[in-house]
Amino acid sequence: MAMKERIYAYDFAIVEMNLYLDTHPEDKDALCLFHQYQEKREQLIEAYEAQFGPYISNVNDVQGDKFTWICDPWPWEYSKEV
Amino acid sequence: MWQYEKKLQYPVKIANPNPKLAQLIITQYGGPDGELGASLRYLSQRYSMPYAEVKGLLTDIGTEELAHLEMICAMVHQLTRNLSEEEIKGTPFANYFVDHTTGVYPVAASSVPWRAEYIASKGDIITDLHEDLAAEQKARTTYDNLIRMVDDPDVLDPLRFLRQRELNHYQRFGEALRLTSDRLNEKNFYSFNPSFDKHCNK
Ligand SMILES: [Fe+2]
């Protein structure tokens, strides 16, 4: 799996754990897993960004003189890149 | 408040446009059991919830539904991009095209525009959670029906992801209902409004 897709997978696992923790806020095993996923995600993002630049564009990324937030592609646009 | 993340929750990469499919799939944006109604239903209901877990759950599921609405719109957009007039003429999509060109507008597959009557926010935690459980099942049935109509794997993949999310949301809402009834005086479960009549709490 490409590195970006692995980060997506952790993003998703964190959303799913978040919903589970809403109704099980004191489940220690789940809290532990939640932290593991968050740490793993941080590590992957760090590794990704060292190689390829920002994982997801946000309004704070200004590259040189350009406000890169507005750069294509937007998420609904089909693109072949992975 | 909300902040935008410039990504989809799950990838949508549809190689071949197909306006007929777009007209079916758009129902999960603006139809009776679509993602637009889902997000507004949960985000509206959360204000009258007496319990922290349920306030959290409605906020988080309501937010996830916004991400689902975005995936459905991305599917409709990709299924209708770069169409020629010839590809539209004589298809069921022609009716939509006359009204909206290839813009994305919240309508049902049956072409009825989105209506607030599709959702309920009753100010009663028991009533609202039952609405939510039914809503998740109705959305799941709709995804099942869509999946029956589709054979393009690029379209099936995100539809299957979204269908599975309805099951997980149903499970969480079931837990929210259990947490709620555990906190009520069991003589009163279904005869008071725990969001308003505070005496029916244990
Ligand atoms: Fe849902």
Side-chain angles (χ1 to χ4, degrees):
Chain A
M1 214 191 300
M3 207 181 217
K4 205 169 196 174
E5 285 177 345
R6 284 170 61 205
I7 306 173
Y8 280 175
Y10 278 101
D11 282 348
F12 174 70
I14 288 165
V15 166
E16 181 63 352
M17 288 306 295
N18 175 347
L19 297 189
Y20 177 85
L21 286 166
D22 284 341
T23 52
H24 305 79
E26 281 151 34
D27 183 327
K28 286 206 181 67
D29 293 339
L31 281 166
C32 178
L33 197 58
F34 188 55
H35 284 133
Q36 281 174 26
Y37 287 160
Q38 283 173 319
E39 266 170 42
K40 193 76 198 158
R41 177 181 179 274
E42 294 296 308
Q43 288 166 7
L44 280 170
I45 289 179
E46 225 172 273
Y48 180 91
E49 295 193 332
Q51 245 184 299
F52 307 107
Y55 158 55
I56 332 184
S57 171
N58 70 59
V59 290
N60 303 317
D61 306 328
V62 177
Q63 281 165 18
D65 292 336
K66 185 152 163 97
F67 188 57
T68 49
W69 167 250
I70 60 153
C71 292
D72 286 342
W74 284 82
W76 54 88
E77 290 169 336
Y78 176 66
S79 65
K80 290 211 156 126
E81 73 57 61
V82 182
Chain B
M1 65 164 284
W2 277 266
Q3 264 179 324
Y4 187 68
E5 269 190 51
K6 205 172 171 183
K7 69 189 269 274
L8 296 181
Q9 190 189 18
Y10 186 88
V12 173
K13 292 181 178 182
I14 301 173
N16 302 311
N18 183 337
K20 273 195 261 174
L21 274 189
Q23 193 177 353
L24 301 179
I25 286 167
I26 204 166
T27 212
Q28 287 299 66
Y29 179 35
D33 307 305
E35 305 288 358
L36 175 61
S39 57
L40 291 177
R41 175 185 301 112
Y42 306 144
L43 294 174
S44 300
Q45 289 175 354
R46 63 194 177 131
Y47 301 97
S48 54
M49 293 298 142
Y51 306 128
E53 294 90 338
V54 190
K55 292 179 213 177
L57 191 65
L58 286 168
T59 301
D60 296 335
I61 296 185
T63 300
E64 187 182 348
E65 306 292 11
L66 293 171
H68 295 171
L69 165 171
E70 186 184 34
M71 283 176 62
I72 292 291
C73 293
M75 293 174 81
V76 170
H77 167 69
Q78 293 179 20
L79 287 167
T80 57
R81 73 187 187 286
N82 304 327
L83 292 178
S84 67
E85 286 173 25
E86 290 314 311
E87 288 170 298
I88 295 165
K89 273 185 200 160
T91 72
F93 180 72
N95 296 1
Y96 179 96
F97 178 83
V98 168
D99 289 334
H100 308 288
T101 329
T102 56
V104 178
Y105 181 77
V107 293
S110 54
S111 88
V112 179
W114 189 81
R115 303 177 65 111
E117 292 95 323
Y118 295 154
I119 71 169
S121 177
K122 204 67 177 174
D124 180 322
I125 186 171
I126 300 265
T127 310
D128 284 345
L129 285 172
H130 278 96
E131 151 94 3
D132 302 343
L133 285 159
E136 293 295 334
Q137 287 300 331
K138 289 189 281 180
R140 195 265 309 149
T141 306
T142 309
Y143 280 117
D144 280 340
N145 291 344
L146 284 171
I147 286 166
R148 292 177 216 278
M149 301 290 126
V150 174
D151 37 40
D152 179 347
D154 292 353
V155 179
L156 276 175
D157 188 41
L159 286 179
R160 288 201 178 110
F161 171 85
L162 290 167
R163 176 190 185 274
Q164 184 61 42
R165 297 311 293 150
E166 310 304 346
L167 301 182
N168 293 39
H169 293 171
Y170 184 81
Q171 169 75 26
R172 299 281 96 88
F173 281 130
E175 292 159 359
L177 186 59
R178 180 178 46 75
L179 282 168
T180 299
S181 48
D182 283 351
R183 281 171 204 173
L184 301 176
N185 175 336
E186 67 264 19
K187 288 184 192 131
N188 297 338
F189 269 12
Y190 304 118
S191 43
F192 293 94
N193 173 356
S195 297
F196 196 81
D197 306 307
K198 309 290 180 206
H199 67 272
C200 60
N201 288 284
K202 254 181 197 161

